[in-house]
Amino acid sequence: MTYRIALVKGDGIGPEIVSSAVKVLEAVGGRYGHDFQFTEYLAGGCAIDACGVPLPPETVAGCQQSDSVLLGAVGGPKWDTMPGHLRPEKALLGLRAALELYTNLRPARIFPALKGACALRPDIIDRGFDLMIVRELTGGIYFGERGRREGKYGEEAFDTEAYSVHEIERIARVAFESARKRRKNVVSIDKANVLESSRLWRETVHRVAKEYPDVTVSDMLVDNAAMQLIRDPSRFDVVVTSNMFGDILSDEASQITGSIGLLASASLGATKCGLYEPIHGSAPDIAGQNKANPIATVLSAAMMLRYSFDLSAEADAIEAAVTAVIDEGWRTADIATDATAEVLGCAEMTEKIIDKLLLAK
Ligand code: NAD
């Protein structure tokens, strides 16, 4: 089978970490008999330098014609003073819109061998956690009506949270489908004690839940969810929530895992073409020094195999290789401790993962 993958390496460490993921995909393709064809496109600061805009039309067209997109990261101090419409980050929003990506999936789990890097109490970490945040990405308050007006006490500003039944139904289905591939439990997070949009959210999620009798569903208020993520993250399997609540909770969930260099993400829409990227930025402080941890991007590539190409065995193989390398004690600088004998660079960590992948039965 042939899969066309658009590579948007971006800025800073983007080219290093995407190259690592490509090597891992080539290894997995060789082992399982798949042909991954890669085409590079510019976006972010490098596109501003080359073409004068952060998201050239060729990049949009190329990504739309691909089976999926693997992105590194965009941005850096060089472009920090550009006007708003010419900021590298505009490329991300533009790509999400062009590919009509309405779901963001962010897994957060603890690697037992990296417990030391986790900020939670040892008795909480010992229970382990492996959760998936399903965040609505194109609706809610970030896209609602906004403005400034004269109020009773002078100038005031407003933003509007609005959700349609259609938007809630489609994100709920992503959550239930995702739960079916995991531990079959969905927690829907809202603020239904205060917000009318949350009451519609809750009603709709429960109506969709009837289509998935094998999956358990419950509700949690967002303030409680923020606490429970720290008190007992092991209680969560799949979490589904709105754009703004998901933005905040997914950052909290990634923080409790201990390392930003390990966390992958997927943005999905109505078609199989998704956008896969690490959650971290372009890390300009370590760019071009072979210091970046490639694992978040490698795990993003594994998500691409699972969610866009339905290649679960191949995704499992990549995830198992990463876990085995970490269990054996191999570390890049960001996850190294005083006990680490040898700190690996980005290229060497990639080789270790590929070795494990090729050795595994
Ligand atoms: P960052 O995530 O780039 O870096 C934060 C810290 O984490 C830095 O010390 C960095 O060295 C480290 N780090 C990040 N990824 C790492 C990895 N894979 N391996 C080892 N260490 C890693 O966040 P920042 O410094 O706030 O932002 C830098 C630039 O990235 C900014 O221009 C920002 O706008 C951009 N950014 C882009 C995205 C994206 O493309 N999706 C996301 C966030 C930030």
Side-chain angles (χ1 to χ4, degrees):
M1 189 77 188
T2 298
Y3 300 94
R4 291 160 306 153
I5 300 175
L7 299 179
V8 181
K9 293 183 171 179
D11 309 310
I13 59 171
E16 301 165 61
I17 54 179
V18 171
S19 298
S20 292
V22 166
K23 286 185 186 142
V24 172
L25 283 170
E26 280 170 341
V28 97
R31 202 184 132 191
Y32 288 85
H34 306 299
D35 178 18
F36 297 117
Q37 292 179 356
F38 302 101
T39 312
E40 287 188 34
Y41 297 98
L42 293 177
C46 59
I48 296 173
D49 289 350
C51 324
V53 287
L55 186 61
E58 316 73 88
T59 298
V60 174
C63 290
Q64 283 171 328
Q65 285 154 21
S66 302
D67 294 317
S68 236
V69 182
L70 184 63
L71 188 140
V74 298
K78 182 177 177 191
W79 305 281
D80 274 352
T81 51
M82 302 292 283
H85 68 289
L86 284 180
R87 294 292 296 262
E89 295 78 10
K90 276 275 170 197
L92 299 178
L93 298 177
L95 265 183
R96 282 179 192 159
L99 299 173
E100 296 177 44
L101 305 172
Y102 60 81
T103 302
N104 186 241
L105 294 185
R106 266 210 207 177
R109 70 180 171 115
I110 187 90
F111 286 87
L114 291 177
K115 280 179 192 171
C118 179
L120 300 178
R121 275 202 329 257
D123 61 306
I124 298 174
I125 303 168
D126 283 343
R127 276 176 248 152
F129 62 88
D130 176 357
L131 60 96
M132 172 76 80
I133 297 198
V134 179
R135 167 189 168 195
E136 202 288 327
L137 206 54
T138 53
I141 198 164
Y142 293 176
F143 291 88
E145 196 190 333
R146 71 195 57 193
R148 302 272 178 115
R149 62 190 171 201
E150 269 311 298
K152 193 172 165 194
Y153 302 105
E155 187 185 16
E156 60 182 31
F158 65 96
D159 300 273
T160 315
E161 172 89 350
Y163 267 110
S164 67
V165 168
H166 167 71
E167 287 171 312
I168 305 166
E169 278 178 353
R170 67 182 183 180
I171 195 76
R173 286 204 174 88
V174 175
F176 286 109
E177 294 290 342
S178 183
R180 275 190 166 159
K181 294 182 183 158
R182 297 172 48 95
R183 303 193 301 279
K184 298 189 169 55
N185 185 284
V186 171
V187 177
S188 171
I189 291 174
D190 60 38
K191 189 71 182 164
N193 54 342
V194 178
L195 301 176
E196 193 55 36
S197 53
S198 279
R199 287 191 272 273
L200 182 67
W201 180 279
R202 199 175 271 212
E203 275 165 43
T204 309
V205 167
H206 282 272
R207 196 169 57 251
V208 173
K210 295 200 176 90
E211 298 166 25
Y212 299 86
D214 51 322
V215 179
T216 315
V217 64
S218 58
D219 306 295
M220 192 178 281
L221 295 174
V222 64
D223 36 355
N224 186 23
M227 280 195 296
Q228 297 304 330
L229 268 176
I230 291 169
R231 286 179 59 173
D232 187 11
S234 70
R235 65 182 292 164
F236 296 105
D237 176 19
V238 172
V239 167
V240 62
T241 192
S242 64
N243 202 344
M244 182 167 67
F245 295 161
D247 189 6
I248 298 165
L249 292 178
S250 59
D251 269 12
E252 185 186 354
S254 41
Q255 190 55 40
I256 57 175
T257 65
S259 175
I260 198 169
L262 299 175
L263 297 170
S265 81
S267 299
L268 307 173
T271 70
K272 282 276 180 190
C273 178
L275 174 72
Y276 297 84
E277 57 182 320
I279 70 151
H280 59 71
S282 60
D285 51 334
I286 56 167
Q289 300 170 41
N290 192 31
K291 285 183 180 167
N293 186 344
I295 289 178
T297 317
V298 168
L299 292 176
S300 301
M303 289 187 84
M304 173 187 290
L305 300 187
R306 191 181 303 284
Y307 290 100
S308 282
F309 304 159
D310 288 324
L311 300 176
S312 300
E314 292 81 343
D316 288 345
I318 294 178
E319 288 166 5
V322 167
T323 304
V325 166
I326 290 175
D327 284 349
E328 273 184 8
W330 299 108
R331 302 282 184 268
T332 43
D334 57 313
I335 49 174
T337 63
D338 293 343
T340 306
E342 183 190 356
V343 174
L344 301 184
C346 184
E348 294 73 32
M349 178 56 99
T350 308
E351 279 167 24
K352 292 283 178 209
I353 296 168
I354 292 172
D355 287 349
K356 278 277 172 261
L357 197 57
L358 298 179
L359 275 177
K361 287 197 195 112

